[in-house]
Amino acid sequence: MNNALTKIATAQAAAGGRYPRFGRYLLEVEVIRTKEGFKGDSAIAELKVRESEPLSGGETPSRPGETVDYVENLSDQKKGGGGRFKSFLMTLVGADEYEFANPAALKKFFDERQAGTHLLIRCEVFPKQLPAREGHAGKVISGYRWSHVELNNEQLAQAEHARKASKLPALTDALA
């Protein structure tokens, strides 16, 4: 049988990748990582949808239980992906920018400590119209509006229990 057909037949079906559809979400961080690829370095947050609701008059959002990805290209400084991912991390832990000015402060989110894993964050994913260029209509991309979630005692206990089950250090140790 044709090798290309075998690859297609054994691949997992993908309907538009794992990007969140337009909507409002409560998300739980599963893992934060970087990846080197042909388009450069990327920062990726894999997020589990805990709650979702559509935007007014919008499409069906990603469902609770699904895993979605928030990805930013870090290699093209003109596009500002590094700053957007930094904002995501700052919002996740409710920190100020000066606390993330040093790469060593960011390392705890990407190394074995996984400081952001099992934390919650709110997000609104909305359509963002890019300007038209060179006679082509501007395409619509996803915009992200992040909001910090202050964990209550029950949510904090759930996060700590999940971190322990994942063999990750306690949040206070991971964030130190």
Side-chain angles (χ1 to χ4, degrees):
M1 175 167 276
N2 183 327
N3 191 31
L5 296 179
T6 301
K7 288 179 182 177
I8 293 169
T10 58
Q12 182 176 352
R18 291 184 359 160
Y19 298 106
R21 294 192 282 285
F22 301 138
R24 287 184 195 84
Y25 298 97
L26 175 64
L27 303 163
E28 179 182 346
V29 175
E30 290 185 330
V31 68
I32 298 173
R33 61 190 172 88
T34 57
K35 181 179 178 184
E36 294 177 16
F38 72 96
K39 290 185 178 181
D41 295 336
S42 295
I44 303 167
E46 294 178 20
L47 308 161
K48 181 172 289 275
V49 177
R50 297 275 297 268
E51 299 171 6
S52 66
E53 64 180 76
L55 298 177
S56 58
E59 64 183 60
T60 304
S62 301
R63 293 183 312 269
E66 282 186 66
T67 297
V68 296
D69 293 333
Y70 170 57
V71 181
E72 289 289 354
N73 183 319
L74 307 174
S75 296
D76 188 343
Q77 288 189 335
K78 289 184 215 169
K79 292 187 178 177
R84 284 190 300 276
F85 206 85
K86 183 180 188 179
S87 291
F88 162 77
L89 292 173
M90 289 168 37
T91 304
L92 180 64
V93 295
D96 292 318
E97 188 166 6
Y98 74 88
E99 298 175 75
F100 285 84
N102 182 338
L106 298 170
K107 186 177 180 196
K108 63 187 161 212
F109 292 95
F110 296 91
D111 67 12
E112 67 280 350
R113 291 174 281 183
Q114 281 293 305
T117 297
H118 300 299
L119 291 179
L120 301 176
I121 191 165
R122 290 203 177 276
C123 183
E124 181 178 334
V125 182
F126 58 94
K128 187 174 173 181
Q129 179 78 43
L130 293 179
R133 292 192 332 204
E134 302 168 15
H136 296 291
K139 69 180 187 176
V140 176
I141 63 169
S142 295
Y144 295 85
R145 225 175 262 116
W146 301 104
S147 316
H148 177 67
V149 173
E150 194 67 42
L151 299 180
N152 62 33
N153 289 339
E154 182 183 338
Q155 291 168 324
L156 185 58
Q158 287 173 349
E160 289 292 12
H161 179 74
R163 289 182 64 78
K164 187 174 184 177
S166 300
K167 295 185 172 54
L168 292 170
L171 275 172
T172 51
D173 296 334
L175 291 167

